[in-house]
């Protein structure tokens, strides 16, 4: 049951992140949005690269 709870928490966090990015008007490529939604690219290096490509958040 803990695994399902953890997966649900990750998905909710990804959903919140996408909502915040949408408000910041940062364009996501389809494959990057898919990676965020599936949780396959939620490591620090991928996040840092994404932030660098988009000038960070104000």
């Amino acid at each position: 049951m803990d695994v399902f709870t953890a997966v649900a928490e990750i998905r909710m966090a990804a959903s919140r992140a996408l909502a915040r990015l949408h408000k910041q008007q940062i364009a996501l490529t389809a494959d990057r949005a898919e990676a965020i939604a599936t949780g396959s690219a939620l490591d620090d290096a991928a996040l840092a690269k994404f932030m660098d490509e988009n000038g960070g958040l104000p």
Side-chain angles (χ1 to χ4, degrees), residues 4-24:
F4 295 112
T5 301
V7 170
E9 289 174 358
I10 290 169
R11 288 188 175 175
M12 291 296 292
S15 178
R16 286 191 303 272
L18 287 172
R20 286 184 179 180
L21 290 172
H22 180 71
K23 289 179 184 177
Q24 296 294 329

Side-chain angles (χ1 to χ4, degrees), residues 29-47:
T29 60
D31 51 330
R32 185 150 319 219
E34 176 69 21
I36 292 170
T38 61
S40 64
L42 295 177
D43 60 31
D44 290 340
L47 179 58

